[in-house]
């Protein structure tokens, strides 16, 4: 029994023991797992430590960077502040400036207005001076350099850009000692036209004068200058000769002819326009034209039927009406401006037929286009007679050299030209000296056909304009200076104030 009990107890404890042993094994396993866990945690801890260390260093770096940035920030802030303050200053300056700009603009406007007013006063005074000076005006026109002449220009300057009344010519010569000597010559005229001036610009200055023939004045415009200086271009135009040979070539030539139309066609056109306008005021006008040539002191009718240099034509002046007539010449009733172009062409062709082989007749003779205008006003009973004479003078060059002496015909031409041009100078000079002696003073009109024909245009009852044409070339400088001196003499001449030829019936 005890044994059984012991057995039972043994069995019981054996179970407890094995239970405890199982428990111990479980705890051992748990211990192992926990040890592993501890191991892993340790490793993790190490890693975390490393992270902390690296983070700390990053933090230090960042802190440093922050310090740098904030320093920079401070600097930038202060820069911004200073920029803002200078901006402020600038904007103040700007508003001050814009204020003064506004003021300056207003001042400029005022000054411009003042200048405009001064200009109109100046013009009025200029006109008054012209009136006082009398009725002879002188313009000077320098033609452009033509194609092949490039590089051969003389030294010519136009310093007076505002009034355009001065021309300065410079010449360089060598002294006996071989030194270069420069001479400067100044001339002043009523208007100087540079080579770039157009026919339109020249006419603009002439139009008032040309138009005054419709008010009953005798107007005379003549072109003076050496051969090739542009007299015929100025008076007739650039397209007359051109259209003679190539009328059918088309628009370009026609455009050129129109653009370069000279003073004769433009003046005639203007006279037609003005007389047309005056119709509404009761005026009726009649116009007739003549085109004459003076060659070797002989008058020829450029529009007539006679052979040149054969028929003797005489000049007659009517002292009452101041009308000039020439015997046996044809007057053409002018009814339209286009008619004038065909008359110019007719004169050209007749002249070229008569031209000698030696030289061009047109440059060795004077041509005079005469337009007579008579008007009557049925309403007021007024009448008026005026004339417009446009003269293309023969080449004014002094002819030198043995070639001339050997050629009798040429010598005669030269003598005639010199005679008539110097007679023109004398007449103008005498008119200038007239002074108190009035009309009683002797004016040598009869010394040449030209001055005799132009008598009425050069006397006190007329308005006269001389256009001095100049070549721009250095080779022509001496001739240009001679022309400039002649024109200056003309310019200093006073011809009494013009009187209208208007008569009351
Ligand atoms: N203002 C100008 N513009 C362009 N060409 C011009 C001008 N003036 C003159 N010419 C040209 O110069 C040349 C000479 O001119 P023009 O025949 O008119 O001279 P001129 O003084 O009449 O000479 P001449 O005494 O020999 O008759 C021509 O070929 C002409 O077309
Ligand atoms: Mg000519």
């Amino acid at each position: 029994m005890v044994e059984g009990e012991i057995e039972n107890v043994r069995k019981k404890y054996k179970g407890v023991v094995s239970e405890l042993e199982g428990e111990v094994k479980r705890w051992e396993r748990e211990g192992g797992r926990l040890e592993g866990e501890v191991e892993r945690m340790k490793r993790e801890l190490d890693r975390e430590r490393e992270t902390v260390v690296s983070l700390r260093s990053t933090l230090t770096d960042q802190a440093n960077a922050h310090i740098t940035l904030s320093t920079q920030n401070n600097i930038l802030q202060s820069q911004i502040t200073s920029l803002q303050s200078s901006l402020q200053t600038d904007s103040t300056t700007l508003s001050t400036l814009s204020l003064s700009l506004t003021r300056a603009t207003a001042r400029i406007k005022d000054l411009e207005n003042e200048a405009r007013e001064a200009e109109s006063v100046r013009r009025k005074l200029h006109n008054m001076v012209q009136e006082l000076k009398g009725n002879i005006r002188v313009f000077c026109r320098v033609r452009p350099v033509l194609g092949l002449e490039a590089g051969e220009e003389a030294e010519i300057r136009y310093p007076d850009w505002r009034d355009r009344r001065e021309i300065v010519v410079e010449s360089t010569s060598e002294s006996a000692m071989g030194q270069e000597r420069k001479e400067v010559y100044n001339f002043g005229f009523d208007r100087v036209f540079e080579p770039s001036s157009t026919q339109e610009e020249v006419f603009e200055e002439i139009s008032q004068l040309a138009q005054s023939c419709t008010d009953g004045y005798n107007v005379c415009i003549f072109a003076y200058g050496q051969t090739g200086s542009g007299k015929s271009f100025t008076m007739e135009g650039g397209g007359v000769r051109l259209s003679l040979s190539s009328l059918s070539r088309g628009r370009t030539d026609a455009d050129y002819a129109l653009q370069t139309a000279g003073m004769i066609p433009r003046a005639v056109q203007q006279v037609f326009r003005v007389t047309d306008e005056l119709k509404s005021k009761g005026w009726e006008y009649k116009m007739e034209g003549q085109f004459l040539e003076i060659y070797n002191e002989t008058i020829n009718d450029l529009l007539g039927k006679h052979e040149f240099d054969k028929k003797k034509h005489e000049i007659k002046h009517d002292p009452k009406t101041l009308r000039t007539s020439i015997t046996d010449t044809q007057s053409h009733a002018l009814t339209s401006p286009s008619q004038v172009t065909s008359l110019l062409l007719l004169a050209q062709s007749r002249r070229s037929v008569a031209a000698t082989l030696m030289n061009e007749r047109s440059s060795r003779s004077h041509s005079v286009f005469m337009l007579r205008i008579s008007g009557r006003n049925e309403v007021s009973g007024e009448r008026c007679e005026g004339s417009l004479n446009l003269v293309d003078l023969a080449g004014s060059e002094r002819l030198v050299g043995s070639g001339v002496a050997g050629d009798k015909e040429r010598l005669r031409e030269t003598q005639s030209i010199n005679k008539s041009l110097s007679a023109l100078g004398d007449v103008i000079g005498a008119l200038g000296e007239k002074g108190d002696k009035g009309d009683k003073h002797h004016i040598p009109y009869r010394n040449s056909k030209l001055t005799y024909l132009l008598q009425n245009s050069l006397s006190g009852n007329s308005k006269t304009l001389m256009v001095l044409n100049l070549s721009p070339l250095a080779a022509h400088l001496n001739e240009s200076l001679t022309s400039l001196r002649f024109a200056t003499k003309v310019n200093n001449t006073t011809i009494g104030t013009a009187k209208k030829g208007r008569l009351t019936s």
Side-chain angles (χ1 to χ4, degrees):
M1 200 106 145
V2 174
E3 269 190 13
E5 274 181 15
I6 292 169
E7 193 63 28
N8 277 345
V9 170
R10 200 186 278 152
K11 273 185 189 166
K12 195 177 157 191
Y13 278 100
K14 206 178 173 183
V16 172
V17 166
S18 74
E19 214 171 272
L20 283 171
E21 275 173 354
E23 190 80 344
V24 165
K25 271 188 187 135
R26 206 166 45 82
W27 279 111
E28 273 173 358
R29 272 202 312 273
E30 185 62 23
R33 193 187 62 80
L34 284 174
E35 260 172 20
E37 187 81 345
V38 165
E39 210 49 46
R40 196 180 55 79
M41 297 280 260
K42 257 188 197 154
R43 278 198 307 275
E44 203 147 283
L45 192 64
D46 283 344
R47 271 202 309 275
E48 290 301 322
R49 264 201 199 109
E50 276 167 22
T51 312
V52 166
V53 169
S54 112
L55 279 176
R56 267 211 192 108
S57 102
T58 312
L59 195 64
T60 315
D61 290 349
Q62 298 278 7
N64 285 341
H66 176 74
I67 288 167
T68 317
L69 281 175
S70 81
T71 317
Q72 280 175 352
N73 189 23
N74 284 346
I75 294 169
L76 286 174
Q77 277 298 349
S78 81
Q79 278 177 351
I80 286 172
T81 317
S82 97
L83 279 176
Q84 266 169 347
S85 94
S86 75
L87 195 68
Q88 192 86 35
T89 321
D90 284 353
S91 90
T92 319
T93 317
L94 192 69
S95 53
T96 319
L97 281 176
S98 95
L99 192 71
S100 32
L101 186 69
T102 317
R103 281 202 197 119
T105 315
R107 179 89 185 111
I108 286 171
K109 263 211 182 98
D110 286 350
L111 286 173
E112 274 173 354
N113 284 338
E114 271 174 39
R116 243 192 306 278
E117 277 162 30
E119 175 64 17
S120 90
V121 171
R122 192 188 63 80
R123 266 174 205 275
K124 272 187 204 136
L125 287 173
H126 174 68
N127 287 340
M128 270 167 70
V129 169
Q130 288 299 329
E131 285 296 317
L132 291 170
K133 203 172 154 246
N135 279 285
I136 188 143
R137 276 179 217 163
V138 179
F139 290 174
C140 171
R141 182 186 200 185
V142 184
R143 75 155 167 82
V145 171
L146 306 171
L148 289 172
E149 300 167 345
E152 294 174 27
E153 297 92 332
E155 275 191 70
I156 302 179
R157 288 186 286 115
Y158 312 90
D160 172 25
W161 58 269
R162 197 158 166 257
D163 286 340
R164 306 208 199 131
R165 298 176 62 174
E166 284 172 29
I167 178 167
V168 178
V169 179
E170 287 180 14
S171 90
T172 320
S173 59
E174 221 172 77
S175 73
M177 308 293 288
Q179 276 174 329
E180 203 175 73
R181 206 173 45 202
K182 198 167 208 170
E183 299 209 60
V184 181
Y185 305 91
N186 285 277
F187 296 94
F189 298 105
D190 294 297
R191 184 77 161 72
V192 173
F193 294 98
E194 294 180 33
S196 57
S197 304
T198 60
Q199 298 280 65
E200 195 183 352
E201 283 164 358
V202 176
F203 186 68
E204 218 174 272
E205 297 289 324
I206 287 177
S207 68
Q208 286 288 325
L209 185 75
Q211 194 183 314
S212 62
C213 73
T214 58
D215 291 331
Y217 289 98
N218 293 313
V219 179
C220 180
I221 300 174
F222 55 103
Y224 181 97
Q226 74 174 116
T227 291
S229 58
K231 300 181 295 292
S232 304
F233 184 95
T234 300
M235 291 311 237
E236 296 179 7
V240 179
R241 246 159 298 177
L242 194 85
S243 40
L244 190 66
S245 59
S246 57
L247 257 182
S248 55
R249 256 194 245 151
R251 268 192 66 76
T252 339
D253 282 356
D255 283 350
Y256 179 77
L258 205 67
Q259 243 177 43
T260 60
M263 302 307 119
I264 297 177
R266 282 175 201 265
V268 170
Q269 196 148 27
Q270 158 134 330
V271 167
F272 270 99
R273 207 179 49 240
V274 171
T275 50
D276 216 40
E277 281 164 17
L278 286 171
K279 265 188 193 155
S280 64
K281 292 186 181 134
W283 282 97
E284 277 288 338
Y285 283 96
K286 267 197 198 127
M287 278 172 275
E288 51 179 39
Q290 274 199 301
F291 206 179
L292 306 176
E293 176 202 75
I294 306 175
Y295 179 66
N296 285 342
E297 291 298 279
T298 307
I299 291 182
N300 286 302
D301 186 0
L302 289 171
L303 306 176
K305 294 188 180 71
H306 300 293
E307 247 185 271
F308 277 18
D309 309 328
K310 295 272 155 60
K311 184 98 189 164
K312 198 160 167 50
H313 302 280
E314 276 177 58
I315 302 164
K316 299 216 157 118
H317 298 299
D318 184 330
K320 259 195 195 158
T321 59
L322 293 177
R323 245 175 175 258
T324 302
S325 58
I326 304 97
T327 57
D328 287 317
T329 54
Q330 285 211 319
S331 276
H332 293 250
L334 296 176
T335 49
S336 78
S338 62
Q339 204 185 341
V340 175
T341 313
S342 43
L343 292 182
L344 287 180
L345 286 172
L346 175 64
Q348 281 286 346
S349 63
R350 272 174 60 79
R351 255 181 161 182
S352 57
V353 169
T356 60
L357 278 177
M358 279 304 292
N359 52 61
E360 228 202 303
R361 188 178 175 106
S362 61
S363 55
R364 316 295 304 146
S365 63
H366 312 298
S367 74
V368 188
F369 181 85
M370 304 174 108
L371 182 132
R372 278 196 204 92
I373 175 165
S374 58
R376 54 189 298 149
N377 192 323
E378 292 304 339
V379 185
S380 65
E382 281 175 293
R383 274 156 198 270
C384 88
E385 294 238 359
S387 68
L388 176 63
N389 303 294
L390 299 146
V391 188
D392 185 347
L393 293 169
S396 62
E397 60 279 0
R398 307 276 167 272
L399 287 162
V400 285
S402 54
V404 177
D407 181 347
K408 273 192 185 156
E409 194 52 34
R410 192 82 199 268
L411 189 66
R412 203 170 136 225
E413 278 181 357
T414 307
Q415 283 169 343
S416 306
I417 296 169
N418 288 349
K419 181 181 163 191
S420 54
L421 291 179
S422 67
L424 184 64
D426 292 344
V427 163
I428 291 169
L431 286 165
E433 285 165 15
K434 198 167 68 174
D436 299 334
K437 292 178 191 156
D439 290 338
K440 290 193 188 83
H441 187 77
H442 176 67
I443 311 284
Y445 292 113
R446 283 179 181 269
N447 281 0
S448 77
K449 280 280 179 337
L450 174 72
T451 47
Y452 193 50
L453 182 70
L454 294 179
Q455 178 170 327
N456 285 332
S457 307
L458 290 169
S459 67
N461 297 328
S462 309
K463 296 186 176 192
T464 303
L465 169 74
M466 186 163 106
V467 181
L468 167 65
N469 288 97
L470 287 184
S471 153
L473 306 185
H476 298 151
L477 198 70
N478 281 335
E479 210 44 70
S480 296
L481 283 169
T482 310
S483 295
L484 282 161
R485 288 188 190 114
F486 178 84
T488 302
K489 183 175 155 195
V490 171
N491 203 26
N492 293 334
T493 297
T494 309
I495 297 182
T497 311
K499 289 178 213 135
K500 285 187 192 186
R502 187 166 282 183
L503 313 163
T504 311
S505 66

